[in-house]
Amino acid sequence: MLRIHFTGVDLARVRMAGRPDALWETILSFHRLRDRRDARLFGEWRTETRSRLNSETRTLGMLIPSRGYFPDFLTPVEGQYGWDVGLDALRGIRPERMRRELQLLAAGAPMTPRLREFMDSGDKQLPRLMGELRAYHRAAVEPYWTHIQAQIEAERAARGRALLDGGADELLDSLPPMLRWRAPVLECDYPVDRDVRLRGRGLLLQPSFFCRRTAVTLHDPELPPVLVYPAAAQLASAPAGGEAARPVEEQRQRTLGKLVGHTRSVVLRAIGDGATTSELARRAGVSLASASQHACVMREAGLVTTLRRGNAVLHTVTPLGAALLKGGAVAS
């Protein structure tokens, strides 16, 4: 069981991450690649990713065991500001911190010669690690990034509405079922028994596409507190090249063609920062059935993401939908 203890100051400092964290997604996706569960969600992704992987991943496999602890330095807090910023922070990791965290990793399993060599080399193995991390990210995460962004935006919209409706209490109470808010403690099923005391530092909530079944937090209690938790998601196939891509692209173009027209332009704009179907109908001045139908077409076209929240559904505009609106690509 993981227990995160809040003070009143911590509740005031709860915040949602502004975007998916590329390093967390990359590390957690490495878990999903070796996991046979969730085949409906990740089966096709695993097949596509393995077909693109043509580089070495032994260092990643050594540092990221199938379960249990992996070093905190792989997911620096700076990663919330983007992939390049996160890599720069990883590149600048102090050798003494790296060694300390590698010793924690070694404590959970027999010391292998490769891990001993990595520990003894200080930061000299970093270039190899960075190279593997980049190559793996390009194969496993980068092709799906737009879709991942859309899912995280939908999650942010749902949690943002909870925050507006009832403050931090409502936000924490609205998190996925494996997280239970029993004020002033947030509990989570966890592989080990652990207490995290925020001590006025607040908590960063980081929704993640590749995080599954349980939330994840950093091991070092002195690092800025972050809770990475599973976002409701459905993975789409990555775009392929050549002839194989043409049927998918033709289907997308046919669906986009349905969008041309004044009413759907109004409906897409009416979604704004997020809207339930009834709110969408009211804002766009259409019937409930019509709003639901238009949202369905736009979801098929990749312009809208729909997330269930209680008895209602919440529609949010994807990055593609936002780009169409910004560029005036949707006819009016």
Side-chain angles (χ1 to χ4, degrees), residues 104-325:
L104 282 173
L105 176 65
M111 176 70 72
T112 64
R114 281 181 58 82
L115 183 55
R116 170 62 67 185
E117 179 186 0
F118 198 94
M119 289 176 62
D120 292 342
S121 68
D123 57 357
K124 294 183 176 61
Q125 293 280 351
L126 265 179
R128 182 188 186 100
L129 171 60
M130 302 281 285
E132 286 191 19
L133 201 56
R134 286 193 190 93
Y136 175 76
H137 175 80
R138 283 196 295 268
V141 177
E142 192 174 85
Y144 309 90
W145 192 245
T146 298
H147 185 79
I148 292 169
Q149 283 180 306
Q151 299 300 319
I152 301 308
E153 279 300 315
E155 177 70 21
R156 276 172 44 81
R159 304 307 154 219
R161 289 175 71 91
L163 181 64
L164 289 172
D165 289 344
D169 270 302
E170 181 70 19
L171 167 61
L172 294 172
D173 196 45
S174 75
L175 292 171
M178 82 281 298
L179 292 159
R180 297 173 294 278
W181 175 235
R182 294 170 179 168
V185 179
L186 183 64
E187 296 180 349
C188 177
D189 298 330
Y190 212 62
V192 297
D193 198 43
R194 186 174 172 207
D195 287 273
V196 174
R197 302 188 184 278
L198 300 177
R199 306 194 309 272
R201 295 173 296 169
L203 180 68
L204 176 66
L205 295 171
Q206 176 68 68
S208 166
F209 182 85
F210 285 105
C211 183
R212 295 289 105 186
R213 288 179 292 282
T214 187
V216 185
T217 190
L218 298 171
H219 182 274
D220 188 343
E222 300 306 314
L223 291 172
V226 58
L227 184 69
V228 182
Y229 71 90
Q234 181 176 357
L235 192 63
S237 298
E243 293 293 324
R246 288 186 182 176
V248 175
E249 182 60 25
E250 288 170 4
Q251 181 180 1
R252 172 60 56 85
Q253 291 301 324
R254 286 196 301 270
T255 308
L256 283 173
K258 299 177 185 178
L259 291 170
V260 178
H262 174 73
T263 301
R264 290 197 176 115
S265 174
V266 170
V267 170
L268 186 59
R269 292 181 188 280
I271 291 175
D273 293 331
T276 64
T277 304
S278 58
E279 289 171 338
L280 185 56
R282 185 174 65 253
R283 293 177 190 175
V286 298
S287 69
L288 194 63
S290 179
S292 179
Q293 180 184 20
H294 290 313
C296 180
V297 171
M298 290 187 287
R299 185 168 59 251
E300 291 173 356
L303 305 184
V304 167
T305 296
T306 301
L307 182 67
R308 180 164 294 280
R309 182 178 176 229
N311 294 325
V313 294
L314 181 66
H315 308 290
T316 57
V317 178
T318 67
L320 175 60
L324 285 173
L325 286 174

Side-chain angles (χ1 to χ4, degrees), residues 39-56:
R40 181 189 63 80
L41 184 59
F42 294 114
E44 187 174 355
W45 167 81
R46 290 185 184 112
T47 300
E48 293 172 350
T49 296
R50 286 173 181 142
S51 72
R52 285 190 294 269
L53 274 176
N54 55 9
S55 57
E56 180 61 70

